[in-house]
Amino acid sequence: MSNPSETLPAPGVIREAIDLGRFPWIRPLVGAYAHDFASVAPLFAGNPADPQAWRDTIARVQRAPRDRARLASVVSAQLDRRQAPPEARAAAAALADARSVAIVTGQQAGLGGGPLYTLLKAVTALQLARRVSDGHGLPVVPIFWVDAEDHDWAEVRAAKILDASFELKTIALADVPGAGRLPMGSLVLDDGVETMIDELDASLAPTEFTAGLVAMLRRAYVAGATMSGAFASLIDRLLGRHGMVVFESSDPAAKPIVADLFAREIANPSRTATLAREGAAAMSALGHAPQVEPAEDAVALFYLDAGGRHAIKRSDAQFQIGDVSKPAAELRAEAETHPERFSPNVLLRPLVQDRLFPTICYVAGPSELAYQAQLKAIYAEFQVEPPLLYPRANATLLDSAAIRFLDKHALPIETFQAPDESALNRWLERQLPPSIEQTIADTSRQIRERIATIRETVAGVDPTLGGAVDTTLDKMLESLKTLQNKIVQASKKKDDTLRRQFLRTQRLTFPNGIPQERELSLVFFANRYGDALIDRLIDGLPLETGKHYVVNI
């Protein structure tokens, strides 16, 4: 990596492009995938930087047998029920075309659209769909897969925003019946959703977009809607006009299309877990930590009933589902006749997705890239064509005030990662006049030298006084440090404006010490920038991988 950070000279939304290797929280696998694909090539279906890999993947996905008319009908029915924009419905209809392919991404049904990276995933998928369509002359459908069978309520029930005072605030749904037990596609919102939206409305800094955004949320998040349905409706309204097709994975009408995958997993349940462990060993051999390590009795399926989503475990010729034991033949027959009762786990979900859709590329987050690295042999085992993987855009969105502050003081954004004021204090210390810093340093050195002389003298008088000398030194240095901290505090009080600017930028870039894209909700940015946000990201974010983009919105 010859130039880990560069400021782009061209005008536009990008202020800076930073090599991901500069950030300690980025997985090494992500850097290797972007900059040294050959080192991880055995784990993946192809290199997305290689044009031939795209041509090969398109050809084999198009050759794979698929009931396209049935798929298009199922997806179109979903969009019709949610009254999705006409551009999305037209894109769904294109799935019936034998030449069509799909660029897929997805996410849990997070409140208010989930964290910012949900939007970054979708933007990357839309950009890739346009590029591939233009470059290969094909209908390319961008798909957003809503993980409607996930049941992690704690993960999706809250949205985090910065309020009008730039204080981090969490807006959360109250628990609804079945929360934490039922999948999001079965979890029905109650009247508490109105209270949540009222709280969000009161907390958002008022802008010209607030009223429209809140009205949009009230149309999507209504009592009686499911959690995944509300999320899907919101993404429809935000991205449907760009041709994004939102798909709720819990749709029972889609399950018969993939019933053979469920039956095959039950027929040979150990095989998937074994292949996943072999994939983990291959990752480890290449120096990368595995994402998934399934137990030997694990089955890559869940069982769905009125009580929720239950793990299935193998026990000889029987399968255990909670307290219920079923013979293998009976469970396999049930998977074939009632596939709506089954749900794939993390190892099988991508295969279900890519059996349903003609997926040539999946836009992945860092964790998804890691677990996909274990699935190559599983795709082959189930005779599903594996897609290319493309890392999602990685970005921090800043306003003009934050940009001016960074530019004026030449601060890298990592400066703001500390979750407390330690980074602020260190920075303010550097703002002190050099003479004060130097004087304190000189004084500390002189104290140490003088005390050393005293220690030598005292040793000749009474060696037992050496401890008292050391204690005196510690107290003097501690007093000097206390004086230095008081000077820093005085500086903070003297220039409170500088302190507020630093903290404002810190809360925007790393709220709670967490990268903005993972902590702040999509609704925070939609409230600040309206539809122009999505348009500018689609038009202005580069598709180059391996970079973190500081974006001036």
Side-chain angles (χ1 to χ4, degrees):
M1 294 177 284
S2 58
N3 187 8
S5 176
E6 56 179 329
T7 300
L8 301 185
V13 301
I14 305 303
R15 173 191 180 267
E16 187 179 14
I18 304 168
D19 194 288
L20 287 177
R22 203 170 93 184
F23 298 143
W25 61 86
I26 296 295
R27 292 172 180 265
L29 179 65
V30 174
Y33 194 87
H35 300 300
D36 186 18
F37 185 83
S39 70
V40 294
L43 304 174
F44 299 102
N47 183 359
D50 179 6
Q52 186 60 44
W54 287 92
R55 290 190 287 270
D56 292 344
T57 304
I58 289 169
R60 56 183 176 78
V61 168
Q62 287 178 326
R63 286 194 303 267
R66 185 172 279 106
D67 190 342
R68 291 175 176 270
R70 187 178 187 182
L71 170 65
S73 175
V74 169
V75 176
S76 295
Q78 264 200 39
L79 299 184
D80 289 344
R81 287 194 298 271
R82 295 197 306 264
Q83 299 181 326
E87 296 88 347
R89 299 192 209 194
L95 289 169
D97 188 329
R99 297 171 63 247
S100 69
V101 293
I103 305 286
V104 182
T105 194
Q107 191 56 39
Q108 296 167 297
L111 179 64
L116 174 63
Y117 66 67
T118 302
L119 177 60
L120 296 177
K121 279 184 167 184
V123 165
T124 305
L126 287 165
Q127 291 176 315
L128 281 173
R130 292 181 182 182
R131 174 183 285 187
V132 175
S133 181
D134 292 343
H136 296 265
L138 298 169
V140 182
V141 184
I143 306 288
F144 193 100
W145 177 283
V146 181
D147 192 356
E149 291 178 337
D150 178 77
H151 67 286
D152 192 346
W153 174 247
E155 186 76 15
V156 302
R157 66 186 292 261
K160 295 181 180 179
I161 65 166
L162 296 174
D163 64 15
S165 300
F166 252 61
E167 295 291 338
L168 188 64
K169 186 162 187 177
T170 300
I171 310 297
L173 281 166
D175 288 349
V176 297
R181 178 172 50 83
L182 295 177
M184 298 305 149
S186 303
L187 204 59
V188 178
L189 301 175
D190 58 20
D191 291 340
V193 71
E194 285 293 326
T195 302
M196 179 275 296
I197 296 176
D198 288 343
E199 183 182 1
L200 180 64
D201 188 14
S203 301
L204 289 168
T207 71
E208 61 184 296
F209 310 112
T210 305
L213 173 63
V214 171
M216 184 187 300
L217 289 167
R218 292 194 191 280
R219 288 193 296 271
Y221 287 85
V222 295
T226 65
M227 186 66 175
S228 66
F231 174 89
S233 293
L234 180 62
I235 302 300
D236 280 337
R237 288 170 169 80
L238 290 171
L239 297 170
R241 64 190 175 91
H242 295 285
M244 177 64 79
V245 174
V246 181
F247 178 76
E248 290 182 72
S249 64
S250 59
D251 192 338
K255 294 297 182 74
I257 303 175
V258 295
D260 64 306
L261 299 183
F262 300 160
R264 183 165 186 158
E265 172 63 14
I266 294 167
N268 194 3
S270 301
R271 186 65 177 152
T272 298
T274 297
L275 291 173
R277 289 195 297 274
E278 290 174 357
M283 285 185 72
S284 297
L286 295 175
H288 299 287
Q291 182 75 9
V292 185
E293 296 190 30
E296 291 186 7
D297 64 348
V299 179
L301 291 172
F302 293 100
Y303 190 84
L304 305 174
D305 61 20
R309 188 173 78 154
H310 311 282
I312 303 175
K313 293 186 177 182
R314 176 179 55 83
S315 178
D316 298 324
Q318 300 282 321
F319 288 89
Q320 198 70 28
I321 305 169
D323 297 329
V324 177
S325 182
K326 293 193 177 188
E330 178 184 331
L331 193 65
R332 181 177 181 180
E334 188 174 359
E336 292 171 341
T337 57
H338 290 285
E340 74 280 359
R341 297 176 185 173
F342 295 83
S343 170
N345 78 352
V346 67
L347 296 176
L348 205 57
R349 188 208 63 76
L351 281 74
V352 170
Q353 162 197 290
D354 301 330
R355 170 63 64 80
L356 275 174
F357 293 101
T359 312
I360 59 168
C361 180
Y362 183 79
V363 175
S367 295
E368 291 171 311
L369 189 69
Y371 76 69
Q372 287 270 6
Q374 295 179 235
L375 304 185
K376 188 176 181 180
I378 300 175
Y379 271 92
E381 179 74 14
F382 283 84
Q383 299 178 341
V384 176
E385 293 298 331
L388 299 175
L389 300 176
Y390 205 95
R392 67 162 173 83
N394 203 289
T396 298
L397 310 189
L398 300 182
D399 56 18
S400 57
I403 291 290
R404 284 194 304 270
F405 184 76
L406 290 176
D407 287 345
K408 180 178 180 180
H409 300 285
L411 290 169
I413 64 169
E414 307 98 293
T415 305
F416 303 95
Q417 188 188 3
D420 51 27
E421 294 193 12
S422 59
L424 171 62
N425 291 337
R426 289 193 299 271
W427 180 68
L428 286 173
E429 284 180 9
R430 293 195 293 271
Q431 309 309 305
L432 294 174
S435 59
I436 294 178
E437 289 276 357
Q438 188 60 49
T439 299
I440 290 174
D442 289 345
T443 302
S444 177
R445 177 179 51 79
Q446 290 171 14
I447 288 172
R448 292 178 186 276
E449 291 174 353
R450 299 297 184 185
I451 293 296
T453 302
I454 293 173
R455 184 185 292 106
E456 292 174 0
T457 303
V458 166
V461 177
D462 184 351
T464 64
L465 293 176
V469 173
D470 291 338
T471 300
T472 301
L473 174 61
D474 291 341
K475 289 182 177 179
M476 293 177 72
L477 292 177
E478 184 179 348
S479 296
L480 188 63
K481 183 64 178 176
T482 299
L483 175 61
Q484 184 178 15
N485 288 339
K486 288 182 178 180
I487 295 172
V488 170
Q489 294 302 317
S491 175
K492 289 168 66 174
K493 292 179 181 178
K494 181 179 179 181
D495 200 343
D496 192 51
T497 299
L498 199 63
R499 180 176 183 273
R500 286 198 306 271
Q501 290 173 342
F502 186 100
L503 291 177
R504 181 186 186 278
T505 306
Q506 183 181 48
R507 289 165 186 163
L508 184 57
T509 52
F510 288 94
N512 273 340
I514 299 171
Q516 174 203 85
E517 61 181 14
R518 287 162 39 195
E519 187 76 349
L520 292 182
S521 172
L522 192 162
V523 295
F524 168 73
F525 298 95
N527 178 63
R528 301 193 89 200
Y529 305 111
D531 288 343
L533 167 67
I534 298 170
D535 296 334
R536 294 196 73 189
L537 291 178
I538 292 174
D539 294 338
L541 266 181
L543 266 173
E544 181 186 3
T545 61
K547 300 286 188 182
H548 180 93
Y549 295 103
V550 179
V551 181
N552 184 7
I553 296 293

